[in-house]
Structure formats: structure tokens, C-alpha cells
Amino acid sequence: MKKVITYGTFDLLHYGHIRLLERAKALGDYLIVGVTADDFDKTRGKINVQQSFMERVEGVRALGLADEIIIEEYEGQKIDDINRYGIDIFAIGSDWKGKFDYLCDYCSVVYLDRTEGVSSSEIRTENREIRIGVIGESRFLKKFVKECTYVNGAIVVAMVTDETSTLDEDFSDIDIIADSFEKIKDFIDAVYVISTPNLHYEQVKAAVNAGKHVLCELPIALHPDEVQELHSLAKANNVLLVEGLKTAYSTAYARMLLMIKSGVIGKVISVDATCTSLREDEFSSIENEKRSWNSLTAWGTVAMLPVFQILGTNYSNKQIVTKYANEKSKFDIFTRICFTFPDAVASIKVGKGIKSEGELIITGTKGYVYVPAPWWKTDYFEIRYENQEQNRRYFYQLEGEGIRYMIVAFISQVSSHRHTRYIGDEVSMMISSVIEDYYSDKDVTTI
Ligand code: CTP
């Protein structure tokens, strides 16, 4: 019996896939199809596959061409499979021509002509092309605009900025560059907002009222009641308001949260997060400095994320210790916040103008999680125990600092019109509540 094997993602099964499988099957008597696992696809850079692994397997199974379906999970697996299943022929589309010649040592390799004019990527783009308007300062928007080019279905068509005359070529593909939201609103489906924290509330409100979906960097407002109001407004207008913060969308960070919830380090007693950077921005006036991203708004939002996601939002008290660059602007170059919960504690140490080790440590009754600096770009973490032999290390590839995954999540939520909360409303509101306390000097000591 001649055995044939082929591999693919088979997302949104199309005519090209069917033709390939038919021809692969005709090469022998028994066809094995390797469907690529989501994690492995991510490692290969294919990050916005639309269907789940099980849906893709079902699609292939329903065709009735495969005699056996296996899962492709790791680099180098093809050689293992060829040996294990006694494969005679490895078949693959001609877009891979030459790439699998190394398998000739194990079986014959056949490249089948790719069917012209159809691909999963094109279908994904056609299915859900979301026209995005970006709002904010060009230095913050640069990465987002670039990352959108890697995500099928996300196209940045418009931009609102004060710097209309000084933009560089990173923005040359954007059709409409304007100084107000009013001028772009008829040409977009959604907005991404990363201006300055004091402007977010009004900008999000305008977008939601115009019926646009919104992805807004935290904090989405400086007061918790405003956050609540914006969420209610989004609901009433039947649009999505999605909290943005890239860390929350990284696979490693999400897995870490799940593992902690499943009890691998016992009961969590303490969450300690540090995020710092030196100051790049100098301000021409106190007013500008007042409105800018300070340590608490830029880094505090990030550091509070694991605190509230792991311990919940019901802390019983907190102490904020802060060092201002200038008391009048309330620009803090350093802030430390200690939270006490009924049965746990947390501390965050953040700074824009100081430098420290940017690590995250989650202490439990059985062991602890250690995420090395810079933990907010999480691709790796360790679970450590007293008996070091039990230590475990986890690595998940992170493309585009995580911004890419945030865009993928946003686009798929907009196109399916289903809000999957990576950052809960209550976490977002609590972060804004701490910021409100900071600005009203509640629980604040200065050094
Ligand atoms: N294939 C083909 N003709 C097409 C599309 C895919 O013969 N028009 C083949 C590929 O060469 C591969 C298999 O089908 O052998 C599975 O391909 P996959 O990567 O899952 O599909 P694509 O449509 O190429 O996906 P994407 O656009 O995400 O790259």
C-alpha cells in the first residue's frame, strides 16, 4: 500500500485545498493529512487563522478524502511522521517548491501545482475588511500602523493627528490624514485611540456615538464612572469598546494567568510588578506635561493589569508613594503603590525617569511565577518551586511585541460582533479609579 502525507492549515477550506487533497490522494492508496495546530501556526507567523483547530480538522474530515488526520505541532515533525507512518510520498503545493527537498532522504517529495486565484488569506481579507481610523500622536501610532499590515482584514485608511504637516513616510499609505474625527468618520468602521490619557474619554465618546467600534489604550478615561458610561454608550450604540494593552493579548501572559488560576503555585499571596523607562519626552509647558503620559498612566496601567486580573479588584486599602518631576504638573517620575487585599497583597513600582529591573513575580503557597524583564512583552515565564527539579519553563513566540495579537483579537471581535473580554470592564474601571485617586491626592504620599 502506497502511503501519502500532506500538511496545511486548511483555514476556511477552499477549492485550492480540495484540489490539492484530491491530487495528493490520487498519488497513492492511503492519505494522511497533517493539520497545523494553532500554536505552531503562530510560531510560523500565521497568526490570524480564523477557524479553530477543531473546525479546520472537521473541514478536512468532511471532505472524505483523508484516511487519517494528524496534528502538526512542532518543527521537524515531518521527518518523525514519515518514519512513524511508513510514508512513501510527501506531497505539498508548489508555493513550497524546494523547501522540502530535505525530505527526499526519507521518501519521495512531490510538489503539486498550486491552484491560481484562491487562498485562505484572501478569503480572510474579503470576509472582514475593517477600515480603521487611528487617533493620536504619530510616535505612538507608528507601531500600530505597521502591525496592521500583518493582519488580514485590518486596514488603516485614516488618521487624526495634530501633526498633519510633519508626518513621515511611515504614514504615506494612509488615504485621509485630518485634524478632526468629524473629517474621517464617514470613511471608517473602527478607530484605534492612543492620544493622551486626558483626551481618551472625549475621543472614544465621539467615535462610539458615531457608531464606530473602538480599540482604546488604557486608561480609556481618567474616572471610573466615565469608563462605565462609555461601556454603556457602546452597548446602546451596538458597537464594541475594547480595552487595549498589548500584554493582555500575548499568548504567554494568557497561559500564565490560566495556570495560576488552575492552582500550580497554590494560593496567590503576592503580586509584584515593576515597569520603568527613562524619560524621552521633555515638555515645553506645565500644561503639556500635565496632559502627557506620566509614570502612572503609561506604566501604572500595565503593572496594575496582573494585580487586578489575578487578585480581583476588591482591595481593602492602598498606599501610593510618588515622586514628582514637578508638583504642579503631577508628572511622577516614580510611583509605588501597595495594595492590601483580604488575603493577599500586591505592589507595583513604575517610573518614567528611573530605571529598575522590569520583572513580574507572583508568589504562591506552593511556588512562584517568575517573568523576567521586560515582563510586559511576555514570551517566557517560569514556574519555580522549592525543589528545583520541579521547575517548569514556558515559551510562546511573540510577534510584533503583542500589538499584532491585540489587532487580531479586535478584528475578529468586530467581524464576529462578539466581545471576548481580554481585559474585564471591572479591571479597566479599577485602573481608572486608582488614577482618579492619584490626581485627587487620595492615599498619596510624596517623597
Ligand atoms: N494550496 C493550493 N492552492 C491554493 C491554496 C493552497 O494548492 N490556492 C495548497 C498549499 O500549497 C498547501 C495546502 O493547500 O499544500 C494547504 O495550504 P494552506 O497554507 O492551508 O492554504 P493557503 O490558502 O495557502 O493559506 P494562507 O493564505 O493562509 O497561506
Side-chain angles (χ1 to χ4, degrees):
M1 185 170 64
K2 225 182 214 178
K3 281 186 160 184
V4 184
I5 197 161
T6 190
Y7 295 85
T9 306
F10 302 105
D11 188 28
L12 307 168
L13 205 72
H14 55 67
Y15 177 61
H17 294 142
I18 300 171
R19 280 203 62 226
L20 181 112
L21 293 176
E22 279 170 351
R23 285 173 293 154
K25 171 99 175 175
L27 291 172
D29 311 300
Y30 191 84
L31 177 66
I32 302 181
V33 179
V35 178
T36 314
D38 292 336
D39 276 340
F40 186 50
D41 257 336
K42 275 189 191 163
T43 318
R44 300 190 308 151
K46 253 197 193 186
I47 58 163
N48 62 336
V49 170
Q50 201 166 318
Q51 292 184 299
S52 70
F53 173 71
M54 286 314 289
E55 284 169 330
R56 293 183 286 116
V57 167
E58 268 317 304
V60 173
R61 194 193 309 282
L63 289 177
L65 291 164
D67 296 289
E68 194 171 337
I69 296 175
I70 60 169
I71 170 167
E72 185 188 27
E73 293 178 284
Y74 57 89
E75 198 87 47
Q77 185 182 326
K78 292 185 179 78
I79 297 175
D80 260 358
D81 290 342
I82 290 167
N83 290 333
R84 182 177 313 146
Y85 296 103
I87 298 298
D88 302 292
I89 300 171
F90 170 88
I92 196 89
S94 54
D95 43 328
W96 294 98
K97 198 153 191 120
K99 296 252 170 55
F100 292 105
D101 289 355
Y102 70 93
L103 294 176
C104 289
D105 292 344
Y106 307 89
C107 66
S108 23
V109 174
V110 176
Y111 296 101
L112 297 166
D113 283 344
R114 191 179 158 90
T115 308
E116 292 299 316
V118 59
S119 78
S120 303
S121 311
E122 274 168 34
I123 302 174
R124 284 195 290 265
T125 306
E126 281 162 18
N127 273 4
R128 44 172 191 174
E129 193 161 80
I130 311 292
R131 297 166 305 160
I132 303 174
V134 294
I135 302 179
E137 285 181 41
S138 62
R139 64 198 169 119
F140 300 134
L141 289 171
K142 219 169 245 185
K143 276 187 193 156
F144 183 88
V145 170
K146 179 164 170 261
E147 288 301 314
C148 279
T149 62
Y150 295 99
V151 181
N152 300 144
I155 38 164
V156 177
V157 297
M159 176 171 179
V160 178
T161 180
D162 292 336
E163 314 149 271
T164 42
S165 55
T166 54
L167 287 177
D168 57 27
E169 63 200 25
D170 292 323
F171 301 97
S172 56
D173 287 339
I174 300 180
D175 298 336
I176 310 158
I177 296 186
D179 56 6
S180 80
F181 173 70
E182 282 301 307
K183 293 184 184 155
I184 68 159
K185 75 175 201 265
D186 293 337
F187 307 98
I188 55 166
D189 307 304
V191 293
Y192 170 64
V193 181
I194 182 170
S195 47
T196 47
N198 65 309
L199 297 175
H200 284 179
Y201 169 72
E202 290 298 342
Q203 289 167 337
V204 171
K205 197 169 168 177
V208 165
N209 277 333
K212 309 298 170 192
H213 303 287
V214 177
L215 173 64
C216 178
E217 284 294 325
L218 285 184
I220 62 170
L222 294 178
H223 304 282
D225 47 347
E226 290 175 348
V227 176
Q228 194 165 29
E229 181 197 332
L230 291 173
H231 277 291
S232 308
L233 211 56
K235 217 170 179 182
N237 285 290
N238 204 21
V239 293
L240 297 179
L241 169 54
V242 177
E243 263 85 5
L245 202 166
K246 61 179 189 273
T247 313
Y249 296 84
S250 91
T251 311
Y253 178 82
R255 295 281 155 93
M256 179 198 74
L257 287 188
L258 290 175
M259 293 186 82
I260 291 169
K261 292 221 158 91
S262 71
V264 289
I265 58 166
K267 220 187 120 19
V268 176
I269 298 298
S270 181
V271 177
D272 302 275
T274 303
C275 308
T276 68
S277 57
L278 291 179
R279 256 186 107 167
E280 290 165 0
D281 34 17
E282 289 300 330
F283 300 97
S284 47
S285 69
I286 295 277
E287 277 316 301
N288 282 345
E289 192 165 67
K290 243 185 201 169
R291 287 193 286 262
S292 68
W293 291 89
N294 57 25
S295 299
L296 187 64
T297 51
W299 283 127
T301 46
V302 183
M304 281 188 266
L305 187 75
V307 171
F308 296 138
Q309 287 193 315
I310 294 169
L311 298 175
T313 51
N314 288 327
Y315 65 83
S316 38
N317 68 67
K318 71 172 177 309
Q319 295 161 292
I320 304 177
V321 180
T322 204
K323 183 165 180 60
Y324 296 129
N326 182 331
E327 174 129 29
K328 284 190 196 124
S329 69
K330 289 211 161 169
F331 187 105
D332 54 331
I333 60 160
F334 170 80
T335 289
R336 191 196 69 190
I337 309 181
C338 294
F339 297 94
T340 307
F341 289 78
D343 49 8
V345 293
S347 74
I348 67 161
K349 207 161 71 179
V350 295
K352 247 181 119 179
I354 57 138
K355 202 65 207 148
S356 187
E357 185 71 10
E359 61 191 10
L360 169 66
I361 298 173
I362 300 143
T363 310
T365 51
K366 289 187 188 155
Y368 68 100
V369 174
Y370 175 68
V371 192
W375 71 264
W376 52 92
K377 294 182 194 166
T378 319
D379 61 4
Y380 173 78
F381 63 93
E382 291 180 29
I383 300 187
R384 294 180 176 175
Y385 297 98
E386 186 123 290
N387 175 0
Q388 291 184 16
E389 282 173 16
Q390 292 176 353
N391 288 2
R392 292 283 174 270
R393 295 152 186 239
Y394 297 88
F395 175 78
Y396 300 91
Q397 187 75 29
L398 184 74
E399 303 289 346
E401 294 182 15
I403 297 172
R404 203 174 298 179
Y405 305 103
M406 179 170 85
I407 301 169
V408 169
F410 180 60
I411 294 297
S412 77
Q413 289 181 58
V414 168
S415 44
S416 65
H417 214 94
R418 244 197 344 243
H419 199 164
T420 317
R421 294 188 194 277
Y422 287 76
I423 302 170
D425 295 6
E426 67 298 339
V427 169
S428 171
M429 275 167 62
M430 188 46 77
I431 288 173
S432 291
S433 159
V434 173
I435 293 172
E436 180 184 69
D437 289 348
Y438 166 83
Y439 281 114
S440 57
D441 290 326
K442 185 167 174 255
D443 304 328
V444 178
T445 311
T446 54
I447 53 170

